[in-house]
Amino acid sequence: MPPLRPNSGCGMLNLYLFQILNGLGLGMIYFLISVGLTIIFGLLNFVNFAHGGFFMLGCYLCYALLQLTGQFWLTLLLGPLIVAALAWVMEKTLIRRIYHLPHTFHILVTVGVALILQESAIIVWGPIGKSIPIPEALQGVVIMGKFAYPKYRLFLILFSAAIGFILWLLLERTRFGALVRAGSESTEMVSLLGTNIYKLFSLTFALGVGLAGLAGVLSGPIRGAQPFMGPEVLGIAFVVVVIGGMGSFLGALVGGLLIGLVQSLMTTIWPEGASLMIYGAMAAVILLRPYGLFGRA
Amino acid sequence: MKRLMTSKGLFGGTTLAVLAILVLLPLVLPSATLATEIVIFAMAALACNLLLGYGGLLSFGQGLFFGAGSYLSALAMIHGGVGLVTALVIAIVAGALIATFVGMLSIRRTGIYFVMLTLAFSQTGYFLAYTLSKWTGGDNGLLDVPRPGLSLFGVDLVDLKGAHAYYVFVALIFMAVYVGARRVIDSPFGSTLVAIRENESRASAVGFDTRHFKMLAFTLSGAVTALAGALYGMLINYVPLDNIAMAMSENIVIMTVIGGTGSLLGSLLGAGTLVLMGEILSSIWPRWPLLLGVLLILIVVFLRGGVWGGVESLIGRMTRKDEA
């Protein structure tokens, strides 16, 4: 990296600051997706390969609800709720039947669900992606001294940080969270102690998938909605979980931010290789810490 | 134990069945190209089955080996001017090497972590192919992949330009791979793999270096999958980026499981089912993967042994009726 000089360097510095903020926003989206995956796996010992598909559904709901209502705040509320409700119904009717089977069958069923989501999105919204306008209230830039940053992206960082904090409170400070954490240790024991474990499973599944939907709604105005975005998002969620360690809230946060920052900073240095470097970072972490940063052996 | 006995008992029968299917395919199907496609994917599914059905390892990154085999053999033929045999050997060696590398980083993790790692590494391959568009053609794919004739030491033996000639060539390779895989499974190595699948800690306690065995199986699987990838590139004279995408890994796993794990004949049935389904349905309705999704769910909920498992239990039911 060249030494920073006061005149020419200021622009460079701003560029890097810009990309770091972008990386934080991207990282928080990755965090929301991965933490949902991790919570579900922790309690239900179930891997959701349709997670990327639900993210995509979130993006399309952002598009559709904005078209329908024209109100961003309502969309932000309804979008994730619809995704969570769908997940809740799916858990009750389908996922519950296959908990007792090996992981291979969990994967097959959720791959099937992902295919159904993807093809349904194409049937409803067409094979070509939709771009989503930035909501009026959050258009424009925030100016801090010489530095300007898009309002919506700043909102994205703050809002997802707030959601992350609420989620942490929910998991660490409420009865529901205590049950989820206890259930992750021993489902049987929690069940024996008189908790309706099935109700807990449905709620947790809906919560985890709803978080992917929320991430989708939030990132809609930035990257739009495309029918084939599911696999890419699923791949990134796996990378985050592999880096952070499966079942770890902190791991999802650190892993998500790390990947977001790597991807965003690489965009300035080597745009074509930005996505590739995500996986390079993962390989590096795996070499140094085979069980992830916060994972248990 | 019972499972081993039946597979041994069926040994002669299933090999004959595979042979019969290979002979019938080009006669029954409207084109030899379609038959070749089925046999190539059957090879990839067989390699995946070797891992999943016998070693209990679900690799969701087989597309990496498939794509690497297509790209590297094609590049060697286009830029290096190498012949058919050399190109195929390059694919096999590359597949084995990549599998060794991926295996070193992921094989010590078991269960779902292994699945996630293989998937993530296959995505690395996808983005590598996407990034190196100067070589791979990126999104457009690698065009004008040749299909050289079979020649040894500079002497041209057989021209493979014709669809039927190429089918015979691919079918012979498949038969060789099938017999080889059969031998591997029936060898002590194969029994050890099954022991690892059934109970890894016990196999390890008995004194087997389970990681070593799993690595070997993974490398073998990578090599065979890359061979299939190379043959596929030559079949369609083109390497699309899809060859190395997650959807390819997904399809290989789906074929393996639809056919039935733990039965090599099943892989052929699974590949045939998926390729034919795509061929027939895609012309009627481009959104046919939706039906595939529904089918996957139905299979898991109602027919977990796959197609071959269903046939087996049907045969079992019929023979039991005879006895009664």
Side-chain angles (χ1 to χ4, degrees), chain B residues 67-179:
Chain B
S70 326
Y71 276 122
L72 292 174
S73 62
L75 286 172
M77 287 188 293
I78 293 170
H79 297 287
V82 305
L84 180 71
V85 177
T86 319
L88 293 181
V89 170
I90 286 175
I92 293 172
V93 172
L97 287 177
I98 297 170
T100 309
F101 176 72
V102 173
M104 272 183 346
L105 289 174
S106 47
I107 212 104
R108 62 184 134 188
R109 307 303 306 271
T110 51
I112 194 60
Y113 294 91
F114 178 76
V115 181
M116 295 201 310
L117 278 169
T118 49
L119 186 147
F121 277 113
S122 76
Q123 285 290 91
T124 317
Y126 174 80
F127 284 108
L128 195 66
Y130 183 76
T131 308
L132 300 176
S133 54
K134 210 181 119 199
W135 292 92
T136 61
D139 245 346
N140 298 323
L142 185 56
L143 306 171
D144 301 324
V145 177
R147 190 198 296 169
L150 184 62
S151 62
L152 274 180
F153 309 113
V155 185
D156 290 334
L157 296 175
V158 191
D159 181 62
L160 297 176
K161 290 275 179 291
H164 280 93
Y166 191 61
Y167 175 77
V168 172
F169 177 68
V170 170
L172 286 174
I173 293 183
F174 179 82
M175 208 56 218
V177 168
Y178 175 81
V179 170

Side-chain angles (χ1 to χ4, degrees), chain A residues 7-291:
Chain A
N7 290 331
S8 65
C10 220
M12 280 303 278
L13 196 63
N14 274 351
L15 183 63
Y16 279 111
L17 184 60
F18 189 80
Q19 290 298 357
I20 286 174
L21 282 175
N22 275 355
L24 284 179
L26 199 57
M28 287 310 287
I29 293 286
Y30 291 165
F31 158 70
L32 289 178
I33 300 167
S34 321
V35 80
L37 196 70
T38 279
I39 294 175
I40 294 173
F41 180 80
L43 179 68
L44 285 68
N45 194 20
F46 182 89
V47 197
N48 182 19
F49 269 59
H51 215 64
F54 284 110
F55 172 90
M56 175 214 65
L57 185 62
C59 292
Y60 272 109
L61 282 174
C62 181
Y63 168 81
L65 290 171
L66 274 177
Q67 287 259 311
L68 200 68
T69 66
Q71 292 189 359
F72 179 70
W73 304 110
L74 194 65
T75 301
L76 193 56
L77 180 73
L78 281 182
L81 280 180
I82 293 174
V83 174
L86 193 64
W88 188 75
V89 172
M90 192 176 98
E91 198 278 342
K92 291 241 169 215
T93 51
L94 173 65
I95 306 294
R96 180 164 295 181
R97 292 166 187 268
I98 59 169
Y99 281 136
H100 63 283
L101 299 175
H103 282 315
T104 313
F105 295 114
H106 298 172
I107 292 171
L108 274 189
V109 164
T110 47
V111 160
V113 171
L115 280 175
I116 294 173
L117 286 172
Q118 176 182 305
E119 298 303 315
S120 307
I122 297 176
I123 292 171
V124 178
W125 290 290
I128 300 162
K130 301 278 183 201
S131 64
I132 300 166
I134 289 176
E136 250 172 61
L138 297 166
Q139 276 171 2
V141 292
V142 181
I143 297 169
M144 295 171 271
K146 270 186 166 180
F147 182 72
Y149 194 71
K151 243 187 218 172
Y152 185 78
R153 285 177 181 263
L154 198 64
F155 159 78
L156 179 71
I157 299 174
L158 298 175
F159 184 78
S160 39
I163 293 288
F165 181 67
I166 293 170
L167 188 65
W168 180 83
L169 283 178
L170 179 72
L171 288 174
E172 296 291 328
R173 294 282 182 271
T174 65
R175 189 179 154 73
F176 170 76
L179 285 173
V180 169
R181 281 179 293 127
S184 304
E185 296 292 329
S186 168
T187 317
E188 217 173 18
M189 183 55 85
V190 172
S191 179
L192 282 172
L193 289 174
T195 302
N196 183 349
I197 201 81
Y198 283 112
K199 208 169 149 190
L200 190 64
F201 277 9
S202 311
L203 284 174
T204 308
F205 192 77
L207 173 69
V209 171
L211 283 167
L214 174 66
V217 173
L218 277 173
S219 61
I222 292 179
R223 60 176 291 181
Q226 293 96 31
F228 298 107
M229 68 206 310
E232 188 197 330
V233 169
L234 185 69
I236 287 177
F238 281 3
V239 169
V240 170
V241 168
V242 162
I243 286 182
M246 194 72 153
S248 163
F249 180 91
L250 190 63
L253 182 62
V254 174
L257 288 176
L258 182 73
I259 289 303
L261 285 171
V262 165
Q263 190 180 358
S264 175
L265 286 174
M266 281 308 295
T267 311
T268 44
I269 304 166
W270 184 31
E272 300 85 14
S275 295
L276 184 60
M277 286 321 288
I278 294 177
Y279 297 93
M282 179 196 72
V285 171
I286 292 298
L287 270 174
L288 298 172
R289 289 186 66 93
Y291 293 93

Side-chain angles (χ1 to χ4, degrees), chain B residues 142-269:
Chain B
L142 185 56
L143 306 171
D144 301 324
V145 177
R147 190 198 296 169
L150 184 62
S151 62
L152 274 180
F153 309 113
V155 185
D156 290 334
L157 296 175
V158 191
D159 181 62
L160 297 176
K161 290 275 179 291
H164 280 93
Y166 191 61
Y167 175 77
V168 172
F169 177 68
V170 170
L172 286 174
I173 293 183
F174 179 82
M175 208 56 218
V177 168
Y178 175 81
V179 170
R182 201 68 265 176
R183 295 295 291 267
V184 166
I185 288 162
D186 292 335
S187 73
F189 172 74
S191 319
T192 315
L193 271 188
V194 173
I196 292 172
R197 179 192 72 193
E198 293 301 322
N199 191 333
E200 183 166 353
S201 42
R202 193 176 292 173
S204 152
V206 174
F208 290 111
D209 183 354
T210 56
R211 233 182 103 187
H212 173 73
F213 278 90
K214 288 198 289 186
M215 271 302 287
L216 261 178
F218 197 59
T219 309
L220 201 63
S221 175
V224 173
T225 311
L227 173 64
L231 291 170
Y232 189 61
M234 292 175 197
L235 173 71
I236 59 175
N237 298 113
Y238 166 59
V239 182
L241 189 59
D242 289 348
N243 268 17
I244 201 164
M246 193 190 288
M248 180 60 75
S249 304
E250 201 172 282
N251 281 341
I252 294 175
V253 169
I254 291 173
M255 288 173 192
T256 309
V257 181
I258 282 189
T261 54
S263 132
L264 293 184
L265 176 60
S267 296
L268 187 57
L269 297 179

